[in-house]
Amino acid sequence: MEEKKEEKKEEKKKIRVKMREQDPLVRARNFNEVPYGYVPDEAVEEAHRCLQCKRPTCKDGCPVEVDIPGFIGLIKEGKFLEACYKVKEKNALPAVCGRVCPQEIQCETLCLVGKKGDPVAIGNLERFVADYEAEKGEIKIPEKPKPTGRKVVIVGSGPGGLTCAADLIQAGHQVTLFEALHKPGGVLIYGIPEFRLPKVIVEREVEYIKKLGVELVLGAVIGKLHTVDELLNDEGYDACFVCIGAGLPMFMGIPGENLNGVYSANEFLTRANLMKAYLFPEYDTPIKRGKRVAVFGGGNVAMDSARVALRLGAEKVYLIYRRSEAEMPARKAEVHHAHEEGIEFMLLTNPTRFIDDGKGNVCGVECIKMELGEPDESGRRRPIPIKGSEFQVEIDIGIPALGTRANPLLTKTMQDLKLNKRGYIIAEEATGMTSKPGVFAGGDIVTGSATVISAMGAGRKAARAINEYLKWKYWDVSNLAKAI
Amino acid sequence: MFKILKKEELSDVVTLFEIDAKHIAKKAQAGNFFVLRIHEEGERIPLTIADFDRDRGTITTVFQKVGKTTYHMGILNEGDYISDLIGPLGIPSHIENFGKVVCVGGGVGIAPVYPITKGLKEAGNTIISIIGARTRNLLFWEEKMRKVSDELIITTDDGSYGRKAVVTVPLDELLNKDKDIKLVVAIGPAIMMKFVCKTTEKYNIKTIVSLNSIMVDATGMCGACRVEVGGETKFACVDGPEFDGHKVDFDLLMKRQIMYLDEEKIAMERYREKMGGVI
Ligand SMILES: Cc1cc2nc3c(=O)[nH]c(=O)nc-3n(C[C@H](O)[C@H](O)[C@H](O)COP(=O)(O)OP(=O)(O)OC[C@H]3O[C@@H](n4cnc5c(N)ncnc54)[C@H](O)[C@@H]3O)c2cc1C
Ligand SMILES: Cc1cc2nc3c(=O)[nH]c(=O)nc-3n(C[C@H](O)[C@H](O)[C@H](O)COP(=O)(O)OP(=O)(O)OC[C@H]3O[C@@H](n4cnc5c(N)ncnc54)[C@H](O)[C@@H]3O)c2cc1C
Ligand code: SF4
Ligand code: SF4
Ligand code: FES
């Protein structure tokens, strides 16, 4: 009897505490957040699955090295606020990262417990402590440091820019953050939908950074309103951090892509999220509510577009991807959610042209079947079209979601800034130093589309380097030379 | 928040705002536009910077009431505020001394053609301007345009003022008799720009048009504004808004402009109801 109980407990230990979620069929029609988050008991139970490893491998998987056993240990003891502060030592945006980090390829993939069952739900726990703090704790505003008299300008208010701003203001510098859009947050506000990352969370983080003393200027398109040279030479800024994301949408270059009803994923998501078109006509910005929608791609952007289309009332949403599900770069949790909600996956399929209804609107898409050939440079097996396998799908909305490129709007006004062949800024990995004295860069505009946490990591490294630079004002790009 | 310093009704449907926007005024150039959002629930709409005063730190915009946002702007008054103003955007007009230039403004297009005409005049060009509208009380800025032109031709569709003609009629005559004309700049409804281009094509005269496609961010991030120029897809907000008119696919532009016709109607009707007959 005793033995059996013990065994059951062992069995149970292999399975993580699930976050309760909205029912798939209900949530597929609303924009409320999908998971409810842990209650304290659930968090403590999950925290007990952590072995508190002496050499915690999980930490190696986190780009900002959150003290994972440290904060989970505090949850075990019921010290939720302390646990949150522990995370915040390394990660300024735990409520965001807990929700959107691809944990299955970062921290959780290296968790020891994961060898025998589910890894510890590090992301869920991180989210729990952050939400707990927001609900229960007083947001602590650290004391104002001694002013250094130095001024830094940051361009772009995505996760990278926000992190860098927070770090620099706490080092005593004066910080101005310019954002092109009318709302701060970058992809967190215009790209990732409400049901995955409620906008109040982003707003809360931005408020915090403002309270620290960062001057936030919205609707300021740098390169147009001011150039970086003007800011550095005429406006008295000592250094600049460029973190403008990779916001240029990619189209597929197939016929019919400019028909009405074909949206870039960026436009579709910006209308829905930033402009709140899902609340039209209460909000003024319109969006086409398709009955049959096809989204092309297999990343987070594609998954988000498909699930937004569903919530706008589509009867059928197809996710058309040229490789197989194993190759999809999207967060696994979101692929799973998309399946549950009834998104139809059409794998190993590629679109060849959009079909015109004769009035300039899209009414269908022609696709071709693919098979997987030899691995390509990325190590993934290259999809090859199967001759004669073309078929048509009836749609009224098509959304290419194939990733993004570097937007040249700002960089083309900086002649002495070295870019790589694809237009991304060349910057030193450890410092963010670029070829232009006083200018640092990081996030998607350096790496290409990556993750929230890696942009934050870049923001933090740049803040550290800027801090050093402001002491000596010495520009040594010898390492950068190697990077080029 | 940006304060409206001056409001002037230019016609029944066209209104002028002078807005306090120091930073934008400092950087504005002919051919630039800006984006505004009137309030938290508002749409982002692009409007041309029709004039600017760097000393006073103001920009002027002239807008035609066509839908929810522009009608709402129409009821705002001096002293009221606009929530967001983003600019200057777009590539400025290419201004140099070409020699003799014809500037064509149709309807509300007179406003955006004015700063370009002024710039070209200041650069030493000889300017013949043609401004046209459906009827007399839709015309505005006659005197302003006259001041920056060597010759001004006025047309109305119904003959209530100036010549009874569409703008392409005097344009064709001019191009036919005057072989010194080096450039035509035309801004107005897409259909007008299309026919201006058809006219100038016959004479092989370079023609610049400004494309008013639907926009969202206006920084190259969404692709809502895409147009086809010379068979290539371009983003009007960052690659334009001015393009070589002979290469533009106007039919596509016009189709894309009416993409949200149904939604715009809903928004307008709802707004009319809410305002209880004020507009
Ligand atoms: C739909 C979508 C879903 C995603 N889902 C995930 C996910 O689940 N997990 C994850 O880890 N990552 C996800 N990503 C990727 C992640 O969001 C990005 O890697 C990250 O946001 C990059 O941060 P950043 O600070 O470099 O730039 P961004 O977040 O792109 O922010 C850049 C900011 O700079 C502003 N800007 C640009 N040019 C100028 C200028 N000239 N002047 C002033 N401001 C300017 C932009 O308006 C923007 O606000 C997703 C991306 C998208 C698009
Ligand atoms: C570069 C540029 C410069 C412009 N300059 C001027 C100007 O100086 N004066 C002026 O009166 N108008 C100008 N326009 C057009 C102006 O933006 C539209 O009239 C305005 O958006 C209409 O909004 P609405 O809500 O009042 O009407 P709606 O009912 O929403 O729309 C009426 C029509 O306006 C167009 N439109 C709607 N939404 C947008 C949008 N977000 N972006 C662009 N067009 C849209 C559509 O073709 C639509 O059919 C310009 C457009 C562009 C692209
Ligand atoms: S920040 Fe992301 S990667 Fe790091 S521990 Fe938290 S969830 Fe894991
Ligand atoms: S590896 Fe897993 S079990 Fe070990 S400390 Fe990290 S989270 Fe806990
Ligand atoms: S309006 Fe978004 S790219 Fe031009």
Side-chain angles (χ1 to χ4, degrees):
Chain A
M1 194 68 186
E2 260 314 288
E3 219 162 79
K4 236 193 180 149
K5 215 172 172 186
E6 221 21 65
E7 218 169 78
K8 229 179 168 179
K9 221 166 143 196
E10 267 315 298
E11 258 329 288
K12 214 174 150 204
K13 268 210 143 170
K14 288 187 186 160
I15 303 168
R16 64 166 57 171
V17 178
K18 286 236 157 32
M19 268 201 291
R20 284 160 304 113
E21 296 178 340
Q22 272 197 75
D23 179 78
L25 293 177
V26 175
R27 71 180 191 236
R29 299 293 172 206
N30 70 44
F31 277 82
N32 301 337
E33 197 176 5
V34 171
Y36 293 116
Y38 286 153
V39 296
D41 284 349
E42 291 168 333
V44 172
E45 187 185 339
E46 180 62 21
H48 272 98
R49 296 184 60 234
C50 169
L51 306 173
Q52 297 288 309
C53 306
K54 283 267 140 26
R55 235 209 54 71
T57 42
C58 52
K59 229 171 123 174
D60 301 338
C62 173
V64 294
E65 295 167 11
V66 166
D67 179 357
I68 297 168
F71 96 86
I72 295 181
L74 288 162
I75 296 180
K76 270 191 196 174
E77 295 170 31
K79 295 182 177 155
F80 304 140
L81 282 179
E82 288 80 352
C84 184
Y85 302 146
K86 179 66 61 213
V87 180
K88 279 193 163 175
E89 282 170 15
K90 297 284 181 182
N91 175 356
L93 307 174
V96 174
C97 293
R99 287 173 167 84
V100 306
C101 267
Q103 289 95 3
E104 73 276 8
I105 56 165
Q106 293 184 345
C107 50
E108 291 177 12
T109 186
L110 297 178
C111 168
L112 201 64
V113 174
K115 294 216 165 112
K116 289 220 186 98
D118 295 336
V120 175
I122 302 169
N124 294 356
L125 289 172
E126 192 169 309
R127 166 196 163 131
F128 166 76
V129 295
D131 290 356
Y132 185 88
E133 187 206 20
E135 209 183 303
K136 297 278 162 50
E138 285 162 44
I139 304 286
K140 277 198 300 194
I141 304 288
E143 261 178 57
K144 283 230 153 61
K146 210 167 101 249
T148 60
R150 299 288 196 190
K151 281 170 67 178
V152 185
V153 57
I154 298 175
V155 188
S157 68
L162 290 175
T163 306
C164 189
D167 285 4
L168 286 171
I169 195 97
Q170 291 179 83
H173 309 303
Q174 192 182 323
V175 181
T176 310
L177 177 52
F178 286 110
E179 167 55 49
L181 293 171
H182 60 267
K183 284 219 166 94
V187 170
L188 305 182
I189 209 88
Y190 79 74
I192 303 181
E194 179 75 20
F195 55 84
R196 209 147 71 73
L197 179 63
K199 297 309 150 216
V200 290
I201 291 173
V202 184
E203 282 155 18
R204 198 160 71 207
E205 300 303 344
V206 171
E207 269 321 300
Y208 177 73
I209 281 160
K210 276 176 25 194
K211 282 210 184 99
L212 292 176
V214 173
E215 185 197 4
L216 181 61
V217 186
L218 301 174
V221 183
I222 304 306
K224 294 283 182 188
L225 189 63
H226 312 284
T227 61
V228 168
D229 278 327
E230 284 163 357
L231 293 167
L232 291 176
N233 303 333
D234 310 338
E235 306 286 331
Y237 288 100
D238 300 290
C240 174
F241 179 54
V242 177
C243 195
I244 53 176
L248 201 72
M250 260 182 342
F251 286 92
M252 300 181 288
I254 61 174
E257 242 173 337
N258 292 337
L259 289 170
N260 286 348
V262 181
Y263 282 101
S264 77
N266 269 7
E267 181 186 351
F268 193 71
L269 291 171
T270 301
R271 282 182 183 271
N273 301 327
L274 179 72
M275 305 309 298
K276 298 222 183 329
Y278 67 90
L279 298 174
F280 178 88
E282 231 170 278
Y283 279 69
D284 291 344
T285 305
I287 193 164
K288 284 279 166 210
R289 290 173 180 254
K291 283 205 170 62
R292 303 168 72 91
V293 180
V295 177
F296 308 92
N300 285 317
V301 186
M303 233 43 80
D304 285 344
S305 304
R307 295 172 69 202
V308 166
L310 195 66
R311 282 159 174 79
L312 286 172
E315 286 159 16
K316 259 203 183 321
V317 179
Y318 304 102
L319 191 105
I320 300 180
Y321 183 52
R322 63 197 183 110
R323 302 182 197 252
S324 64
E325 193 167 320
E327 278 93 13
M328 282 192 174
R331 261 184 112 224
K332 286 292 163 288
E334 309 311 340
V335 176
H336 170 73
H337 282 145
H339 273 300
E340 277 187 342
E341 290 166 12
I343 307 278
E344 254 178 68
F345 285 48
M346 284 177 129
L347 301 168
L348 289 166
T349 305
N350 216 18
T352 49
R353 70 185 172 97
F354 288 105
I355 303 160
D356 189 341
D357 72 348
K359 289 186 233 140
N361 307 308
V362 66
C363 67
V365 59
E366 186 183 87
C367 298
I368 189 163
K369 289 266 179 215
M370 311 289 277
E371 59 191 350
L372 291 180
E374 295 298 303
D376 60 14
E377 318 85 61
S378 71
R380 300 186 297 181
R381 290 173 65 194
R382 186 199 307 271
I384 323 168
I386 304 172
K387 271 212 186 79
S389 69
E390 287 89 349
F391 65 100
Q392 294 190 351
V393 188
E394 201 186 304
I395 58 166
D396 48 14
I397 299 286
I399 308 175
L402 303 145
T404 50
R405 287 173 297 156
N407 187 337
L409 183 93
L410 173 63
T411 50
K412 76 177 178 210
T413 67
M414 299 167 78
Q415 291 306 335
D416 41 355
L417 185 70
K418 285 220 170 70
L419 308 178
N420 71 15
K421 276 197 289 276
R422 289 155 61 223
Y424 293 102
I425 299 174
I426 297 174
E428 200 179 67
E429 154 82 70
T431 61
M433 281 169 109
T434 70
S435 58
K436 187 173 166 66
V439 176
F440 299 74
D444 282 5
I445 188 59
V446 171
T447 56
S449 306
T451 58
V452 170
I453 191 71
S454 60
M456 290 174 57
R460 168 143 298 172
K461 283 180 192 161
R464 227 177 270 153
I466 289 170
N467 225 350
E468 278 310 301
Y469 169 68
L470 292 180
K471 284 183 199 148
W472 317 105
K473 284 257 188 161
Y474 175 65
W475 201 255
D476 175 9
V477 287
S478 52
N479 282 326
L480 184 66
K482 278 180 235 151
I484 301 170
Chain B
M1 297 289 263
F2 298 83
K3 194 173 184 177
I4 302 166
L5 299 176
K6 188 172 126 194
K7 179 184 184 181
E8 196 183 322
E9 306 283 0
L10 298 182
S11 81
D12 295 350
V13 291
V14 177
T15 307
L16 174 149
F17 276 173
E18 194 180 24
I19 307 171
D20 188 9
K22 192 162 120 255
H23 293 298
I24 300 179
K26 192 169 149 200
K27 274 310 191 66
Q29 291 180 58
N32 278 147
F33 67 97
F34 66 96
V35 161
L36 68 72
R37 199 177 66 123
I38 37 178
H39 51 50
E40 188 51 34
E41 292 81 32
E43 190 175 5
R44 290 169 67 106
I45 69 156
L47 293 168
T48 307
I49 301 178
D51 210 348
F52 50 85
D53 186 329
R54 292 202 215 284
D55 299 330
R56 296 181 53 233
T58 62
I59 60 167
T60 299
T61 184
V62 171
F63 59 92
Q64 181 167 1
K65 288 178 256 186
V66 294
K68 159 96 203 271
T69 307
T70 44
Y71 268 97
H72 186 84
M73 286 171 68
I75 65 163
L76 297 179
N77 285 312
E78 287 173 9
D80 286 346
Y81 287 87
I82 290 167
S83 176
D84 303 286
L85 210 62
I86 301 140
L89 299 168
I91 297 174
S93 308
H94 177 72
I95 304 281
E96 69 170 66
N97 192 347
F98 297 96
K100 196 180 263 185
V101 181
V102 180
C103 295
V104 186
V108 75
I110 299 168
V113 94
Y114 168 75
I116 304 172
T117 312
K118 185 170 138 192
L120 287 168
K121 178 73 188 162
E122 280 164 4
N125 290 281
T126 302
I127 309 273
I128 307 171
S129 293
I130 306 174
I131 58 172
R134 255 184 300 122
T135 183
R136 172 171 196 162
N137 58 21
L138 293 178
L139 272 173
F140 58 91
W141 280 12
E142 179 185 341
E143 280 322 305
K144 244 175 125 113
M145 281 300 285
R146 197 181 301 283
K147 258 195 217 138
V148 295
S149 312
D150 294 274
E151 187 187 338
L152 178 72
I153 300 167
I154 297 170
T155 67
T156 50
D157 294 7
D158 63 359
S160 52
Y161 191 60
R163 245 180 103 169
K164 180 175 169 29
V166 288
V167 291
T168 43
V169 177
L171 177 65
D172 196 303
E173 291 166 7
L174 280 173
L175 296 177
N176 197 11
K177 70 169 193 254
D178 192 338
K179 296 297 164 212
D180 288 341
I181 294 167
K182 292 288 185 308
L183 177 76
V184 173
V185 179
I187 307 184
I191 188 80
M192 180 206 94
M193 294 192 283
K194 175 178 169 174
F195 282 102
V196 164
C197 290
K198 280 218 158 122
T199 307
T200 57
E201 223 161 22
K202 283 193 298 194
Y203 300 95
N204 204 14
I205 307 284
K206 188 173 164 97
T207 305
I208 299 294
V209 293
S210 178
L211 302 186
N212 49 346
S213 54
I214 290 180
M215 296 184 176
V216 182
D217 65 302
T219 63
M221 184 266 275
C222 77
C225 62
R226 49 200 202 279
V227 291
E228 272 177 39
V229 183
E232 262 182 73
T233 295
K234 298 274 180 196
F235 289 1
C237 68
V238 285
D239 300 325
E242 290 175 16
F243 292 99
D244 177 347
H246 293 157
K247 294 187 179 156
V248 170
D249 183 341
F250 285 102
D251 295 334
L252 178 73
L253 175 71
M254 287 187 273
K255 272 183 201 152
R256 288 187 62 83
Q257 279 177 343
I258 56 169
M259 175 157 169
Y260 295 104
L261 219 52
D262 296 341
E263 288 81 2
E264 285 155 4
K265 260 200 210 121
I266 294 171
M268 194 57 214
E269 268 160 28
R270 199 169 166 270
Y271 181 63
R272 273 222 168 86
E273 228 162 75
K274 194 175 139 205
M275 299 308 290
V278 175
I279 41 145

